């Protein structure tokens, strides 16, 4: 019998390769057929391990879900970047490797980040999701998020709707 150690911790520079792998796999699973292929390929190329190394070094919080063998998920978050929204905190990204989705790890990661934001005085939290990403929208609605905004953004020349979920 072996014990599985699951931790949520701040990202380190040594996580860069794993973060790149999580980003690549999670985005392929979530956005293939939604974001135009060429644009998606450019995003993968930009988010290399080198990009993640510099991101880890910046000030915005970035945590990883570590299963004892390295990062299998991550979340970036901080102050809300859109002052027109009734939120003071924001979760920018929350992604898991596809094989870790749907079993409660996303909830654990989300709640850990939400608790950290609350501890930093940010009790109204917003998360944006592409409307066509039905799985993400269902996740945020299931976590208690209330839709407060919808905007259309052009990604790779294709208009895509984004929905904002507010958590209190």
């Amino acid at each position: 019998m072996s014990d599985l150690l699951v931790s949520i911790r701040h990202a380190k520079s040594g996580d860069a390769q794993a973060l790149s792998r999580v980003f690549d796999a999670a985005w392929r699973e979530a956005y293939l057929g939604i974001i135009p292929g060429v644009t998606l390929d450019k995003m993968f190329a930009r988010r290399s391990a080198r990009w993640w190394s510099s991101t880890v070094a910046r000030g915005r919080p970035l945590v990883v879900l570590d299963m004892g063998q390295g990062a299998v998920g991550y979340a970036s978050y901080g102050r809300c970047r859109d002052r027109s929204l009734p939120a003071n905190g924001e979760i920018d990204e929350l992604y898991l490797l596809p094989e870790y989705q749907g079993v409660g790890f996303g909830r654990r990661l989300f709640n850990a980040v939400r608790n950290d934001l609350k501890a930093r005085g940010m009790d109204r939290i917003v998360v944006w999701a592409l409307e066509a990403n039905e799985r993400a929208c269902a996740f945020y609605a299931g976590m208690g998020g209330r839709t407060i905004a919808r905007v259309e953004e052009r990604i790779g020349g294709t208009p895509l709707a984004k929905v904002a979920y507010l958590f209190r």
Side-chain angles (χ1 to χ4, degrees), residues 80 82 84-87 124-128 145-151 162-168:
C80 184
D82 185 341
S84 70
L85 295 174
R124 293 178 322 278
I125 301 158
V126 71
V127 180
W128 287 94
R146 184 174 53 89
T147 304
I148 59 163
R150 183 182 184 278
V151 297
K162 289 184 356 180
V163 180
Y165 292 90
L166 181 68
F167 298 85
R168 292 179 187 243

Side-chain angles (χ1 to χ4, degrees), residues 69-83:
Q69 302 276 327
V72 299
Y74 72 88
S76 63
Y77 58 100
R79 288 224 161 271
C80 184
R81 298 170 293 177
D82 185 341
R83 294 185 188 267

Side-chain angles (χ1 to χ4, degrees), residues 25-134:
W27 276 57
R28 282 184 199 284
E29 191 269 335
Y31 301 119
L32 207 56
I34 296 174
I35 295 176
V38 172
T39 302
L40 202 51
D41 287 341
K42 287 179 183 176
M43 289 175 172
F44 296 140
R46 264 194 308 258
R47 293 280 191 106
S48 66
R50 185 171 160 196
W51 185 91
W52 283 104
S53 287
S54 70
T55 298
V56 169
R58 287 191 213 125
R60 196 144 173 101
L62 176 65
V63 294
V64 298
L65 174 69
D66 188 326
M67 302 295 286
Q69 302 276 327
V72 299
Y74 72 88
S76 63
Y77 58 100
R79 288 224 161 271
C80 184
R81 298 170 293 177
D82 185 341
R83 294 185 188 267
S84 70
L85 295 174
N88 48 17
E90 179 176 3
I91 299 174
D92 312 325
E93 294 186 21
L94 190 148
Y95 291 100
L96 302 173
L97 287 173
E99 58 267 31
Y100 291 91
Q101 296 175 14
V103 292
F105 292 121
R107 286 181 177 277
R108 285 178 72 174
L109 185 56
F110 180 89
N111 287 327
V113 168
R114 189 174 183 185
N115 289 339
D116 191 34
L117 284 165
K118 283 183 179 182
R120 295 169 186 246
M122 295 174 256
D123 58 348
R124 293 178 322 278
I125 301 158
V126 71
V127 180
W128 287 94
L130 286 181
E131 190 173 57
N133 184 348
E134 294 171 1

